[in-house]
Amino acid sequence: MKFTLVGSGRMGQQVAGVINRSGIHEIASILDDRSVVTSESFQGSDAIIDFTVREAFLQNLPAMLHARVPVVVGTTGWDDEMGAVKRRVVESGSSLLYSANFSLGVNIFLRTVREAARLIAPFDQFDIAFAEHHHTGKADFPSGTALRAAEMILSVNPRKRTIVRELSDDRKIAADELQVAALRLGTVFGKHMACIDSETDEIVVSHNAKNREGFASGAVQTAKWLAARHTTSPGFYTMDDFLNEMLA
């Protein structure tokens, strides 16, 4: 496959490394913040992998969709535009797969967190919260992965109804609020942890990323899957769609 990479930051460089080491794929081009992006920028490519920032992704989206080349997006921080992006993808007849985190380990972790939250739901003595730790260069706060985990917890545990990103000085957290705590420190690739607590038990489900290789290789794997799916069923997809098919 031939890939166009949009973004030349840490993750873009990692993805380029995975492609170059594969022995079977190649990079058609790498577009950075100095590139003029048009639909012609993607001609000759089998897939696009985007790791940029919110503003760049939303600005480049029309050109990517117009090119009708399937797009894998790891850029986060645009959840408020999710509905509009989905509509544009469907209307364009193109394909886009979005994930806040392409690590297979993280996505297995997320499913484990969801199952743990479901299992404790009938038992009032168990409470749950979520925490994440990333390097100081990460822009979004909390991370997209943490917010995805929170959404999954809320979807299966009716005792939690809303997400609280910051605690107030003048009130206690309510029983139906799910705290999502974020720490920015040093050069940590990514740590995520679901904490379940009762008077008699503590359950911790955690994932620590050792490097960025897992994120990059996962993005390439899903791009291959999306390119095949695009030929028969274009549309908007997530990592769940990929995993559901792989685990079927």
Side-chain angles (χ1 to χ4, degrees):
M1 287 181 59
K2 291 185 178 181
F3 294 87
T4 293
L5 307 186
V6 185
S8 59
R10 292 188 183 96
M11 277 308 306
Q13 293 172 25
Q14 287 289 324
V15 172
V18 168
I19 294 170
N20 289 331
R21 290 190 297 272
S22 70
I24 56 174
H25 303 307
E26 62 181 282
I27 298 172
S29 62
I30 300 176
L31 307 178
D32 58 24
D33 56 3
R34 295 165 297 181
S35 304
V36 177
V37 179
T38 67
S39 60
E40 286 73 26
S41 303
F42 308 106
Q43 297 308 311
S45 296
D46 299 302
I48 303 164
I49 299 180
D50 180 292
F51 279 98
T52 54
V53 295
R54 170 195 165 96
E55 293 77 14
F57 164 66
L58 294 175
Q59 180 177 333
N60 294 332
L61 180 63
M64 292 191 287
L65 295 182
H66 188 260
R68 296 287 186 89
V69 177
V71 189
V72 164
V73 180
T75 301
T76 59
W78 51 276
D79 289 19
D80 58 320
E81 295 286 344
M82 188 70 68
V85 170
K86 286 182 180 179
R87 287 192 297 273
R88 295 180 76 170
V89 171
V90 172
E91 291 169 359
S92 71
S94 190
S95 296
L96 185 149
L97 186 149
Y98 166 69
S99 179
N101 195 313
F102 283 97
S103 162
L104 295 180
V106 163
N107 282 279
I108 292 169
F109 160 75
L110 289 173
R111 291 189 172 213
T112 305
V113 170
R114 181 173 60 191
E115 181 63 8
R118 185 188 69 81
L119 289 172
I120 66 168
F123 306 106
D124 292 343
Q125 66 265 38
F126 289 106
D127 198 10
I128 185 169
F130 198 88
E132 57 98 342
H133 176 185
H134 280 86
H135 55 87
T136 54
K138 187 164 182 61
D140 50 334
F141 180 96
S143 69
T145 301
L147 293 176
R148 175 62 179 148
E151 291 168 359
M152 295 172 82
I153 292 170
L154 265 59
S155 72
V156 296
N157 192 318
R159 291 190 286 113
K160 294 295 183 181
R161 299 181 181 276
T162 58
I163 298 169
V164 174
R165 304 185 185 203
E166 295 183 7
L167 297 181
S168 173
D169 291 337
D170 58 359
R171 72 171 183 87
K172 298 178 181 179
I173 190 168
D176 65 351
E177 292 177 327
L178 174 68
Q179 183 183 2
V180 180
L183 180 65
R184 295 290 174 266
L185 179 67
T187 58
V188 175
F189 293 114
K191 296 181 179 181
H192 298 90
M193 179 171 59
C195 304
I196 298 170
D197 187 76
S198 74
E199 290 186 0
T200 58
D201 301 280
E202 180 184 36
I203 304 168
V204 177
V205 184
S206 65
H207 176 273
N208 297 335
K210 296 181 179 179
N211 51 55
R212 293 187 177 88
E213 180 83 15
F215 309 128
S217 60
V220 174
Q221 281 184 267
T222 53
K224 290 170 58 180
W225 177 87
L226 184 64
R229 176 61 66 93
H230 173 68
T231 59
T232 57
S233 304
F236 185 96
Y237 295 96
T238 68
M239 195 69 171
D240 273 342
D241 298 308
F242 167 75
L243 285 174
N244 287 341
E245 183 169 307
M246 297 298 292
L247 297 173

